[in-house]
Amino acid sequence: MRISPQHLISPSALPHAPGPSLSVLSYNVLLPNSVDGWWNYKMYNPPLQQPSQSHIFTWDHRRNLLKERLALTNSDVVCLQEVSPRSFEDDFSFMEE
């Protein structure tokens, strides 16, 4: 599945003055926690009705969406809100790529 960048604007598309620049993205990731799956209960209560949508509950699915969304902006600095210190390194290891 491909994410549409509907409301995201790449830093290169923004007007800027000549010279050095720095782009910063602040993104709320809704407290993922791959250790105990807490975010599943927060975001999907009541559960989805169609069994064909059960993959949406998985952290792998959500992580891939976040990875793609964050990459669309090509920001110099990314600040993540609502992360879990308990599982941050595993949850966001893709940020090192």
Side-chain angles (χ1 to χ4, degrees):
M1 173 164 69
R2 187 84 190 140
I3 294 176
S4 169
Q6 300 160 351
H7 63 277
L8 295 176
I9 299 173
S10 174
S12 62
L14 297 171
H16 63 279
S21 65
L22 177 70
S23 60
V24 178
L25 170 69
S26 181
Y27 202 87
N28 189 319
V29 296
L30 301 172
L31 190 59
N33 181 341
S34 61
V35 174
D36 61 18
W38 182 86
W39 74 274
N40 284 336
Y41 309 113
K42 176 181 176 184
M43 296 310 300
Y44 300 108
N45 191 8
L48 298 170
Q49 301 301 314
Q50 299 176 4
S52 64
Q53 295 176 324
S54 63
H55 71 284
I56 293 172
F57 287 110
T58 67
W59 169 242
D60 285 338
H61 177 75
R62 175 119 174 99
R63 179 180 37 231
N64 288 335
L65 293 175
L66 287 167
K67 179 180 178 179
E68 188 172 344
R69 176 60 59 102
L70 295 173
L72 284 173
T73 64
N74 195 28
S75 297
D76 296 317
V77 177
V78 175
C79 303
L80 300 176
Q81 303 167 33
E82 288 197 41
V83 297
S84 171
R86 185 174 178 193
S87 60
F88 178 80
E89 288 187 29
D90 290 334
D91 292 344
F92 294 96
S93 60
F94 67 85
M95 299 287 289
E96 295 179 336
E97 295 175 7

